[in-house]
């Protein structure tokens, strides 16, 4: 089964909390997280649909305790930044000249140091703009069953994450193919 995820992450790849508990507590308090199913994996909370904005006119959102229902996983804390991406990976934009790199996405996966053909800029893949198809961080909040661009985190949720961590947060979409 293919997995479609909306992934929230702090923009600063080097940042990591000393513990996940304060982050989880804040997300429980605002009603994003519901019942903890297993370690770090939660069902949706009572305010989920107020915190995540679905853009379609009649979104199909499965909530509750059903096995197929949407879940929220707090994933981390990794010792080093992880480059998270999936089958929907796009060619990134250069942080210097903003042009899109002319490289097949397949070749970008293994190559962590990228070179811009347009302006010559060279740098770690984390510093490039992946157009919401990848994220680089030490902690992630992964929301399942969200198709690419189907939903976005609301302002209240982003503001809450910013305040809880003293960092700016961003989001991307990651489609995980089976196997
Ligand atoms: Zn460039």
């Amino acid at each position: 089964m293919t997995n479609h995820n909306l992934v929230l992450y702090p923009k600063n790849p080097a940042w990591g909390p000393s513990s996940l508990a304060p982050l989880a507590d804040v997300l429980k308090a605002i009603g994003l997280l519901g019942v903890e199913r297993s370690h770090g994996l939660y069902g949706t909370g009572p305010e989920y649909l107020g915190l995540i904005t679905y853009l379609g006119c009649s979104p199909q959102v499965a909530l509750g305790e059903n096995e197929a229902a949407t879940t929220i996983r707090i994933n981390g804390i990794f010792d080093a930044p992880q480059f998270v991406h999936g089958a929907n990976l796009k060619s990134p934009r250069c942080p210097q000249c903003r042009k899109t790199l002319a490289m097949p996405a397949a070749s970008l996966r293994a190559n962590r140091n990228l070179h811009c053909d347009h302006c010559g800029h060279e740098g770690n893949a984390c510093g490039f703009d992946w157009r919401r198809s990848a994220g680089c961080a030490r902690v992630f909040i992964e929301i399942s069953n969200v198709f690419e661009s189907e939903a976005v985190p609301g302002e209240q949720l982003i503001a809450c994450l910013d305040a809880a961590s003293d960092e700016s947060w961003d989001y991307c979409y990651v489609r995980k193919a089976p196997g």
Side-chain angles (χ1 to χ4, degrees):
M1 197 173 125
T2 308
N3 239 317
H4 299 260
N5 292 303
L6 167 62
V7 179
L8 286 72
Y9 61 94
K11 284 183 188 172
N12 175 3
W15 180 81
S18 51
S19 153
L20 291 178
L23 209 51
D25 287 346
V26 163
L27 296 177
K28 278 178 211 160
I30 61 169
L32 183 77
L33 302 182
V35 176
E36 188 166 12
R37 296 183 175 197
S38 59
H39 185 69
L41 182 70
Y42 300 82
T44 51
E47 300 302 325
Y48 175 80
L49 288 175
L51 294 164
I52 301 292
T53 306
Y54 283 77
L55 304 172
C57 42
S58 55
Q60 302 285 316
V61 192
L63 305 176
E65 298 311 307
N66 186 295
E67 202 173 307
T70 296
T71 57
I72 303 165
R73 180 188 297 281
I74 303 181
N75 194 2
I77 308 160
F78 299 100
D79 291 339
Q82 306 292 302
F83 187 53
V84 167
H85 56 81
N88 59 317
L89 188 70
K90 295 183 171 84
S91 289
R93 286 197 195 101
C94 170
Q96 294 288 326
C97 70
R98 305 299 305 158
K99 288 182 180 156
T100 303
L101 270 64
M103 292 173 87
S107 71
L108 296 170
R109 292 169 200 230
N111 188 353
R112 299 297 173 93
N113 226 26
L114 300 180
H115 176 87
C116 175
D117 300 332
H118 306 288
C119 73
H121 173 74
E122 190 160 336
N124 189 279
C126 285
F128 284 72
D129 172 7
W130 292 89
R131 300 185 287 151
R132 301 211 189 284
S133 71
C136 195
R138 293 177 55 207
V139 60
F140 300 90
I141 297 167
E142 302 166 350
I143 303 175
S144 73
N145 296 345
V146 180
F147 288 84
E148 194 162 2
S149 304
E150 183 189 28
V152 296
E155 280 176 30
Q156 188 197 348
L157 176 56
I158 291 291
C160 182
L161 287 166
D162 289 358
S165 60
D166 222 10
E167 294 285 340
S168 309
W169 287 64
D170 208 346
Y171 63 95
C172 64
Y173 301 92
V174 176
R175 186 172 81 235
K176 297 241 164 86

